[in-house]
Amino acid sequence: MAIVKTFHVGNATVHIDDTYYRDATPQEIARRRKVFDEVAGGILYRKQLRELEKEKEGPAG
């Protein structure tokens, strides 16, 4: 297994290894990428929500 791509999303680090793509059809790779995008998008969304909540609390919060 070899890491082929690393993403940093907020406090999370995601490593994609070569087994993610090995023996997968182009359709399966597209499906896996879509799932990855949804997960990463959810992480970013929750990070933004936390930042907005901190802003609402103000400097004393």
Side-chain angles (χ1 to χ4, degrees):
M1 175 179 78
I3 302 298
V4 295
K5 187 95 175 170
T6 300
F7 297 94
H8 298 282
V9 183
N11 291 334
T13 301
V14 179
H15 301 285
I16 303 295
D17 65 70
D18 56 356
T19 59
Y20 191 74
Y21 296 109
R22 187 177 17 160
D23 301 326
T25 64
Q27 295 82 10
E28 179 62 16
I29 291 171
R31 187 194 69 78
R32 291 176 185 183
R33 283 189 154 174
K34 182 179 177 190
V35 170
F36 172 80
D37 288 343
E38 290 170 358
V39 171
I43 292 169
L44 284 173
Y45 178 72
R46 288 187 299 277
K47 178 180 182 261
Q48 289 174 338
L49 286 178
R50 284 191 301 273
E51 290 172 353
L52 288 172
E53 286 298 318
K54 283 183 180 181
E55 287 179 14
K56 285 182 184 178
E57 291 174 2

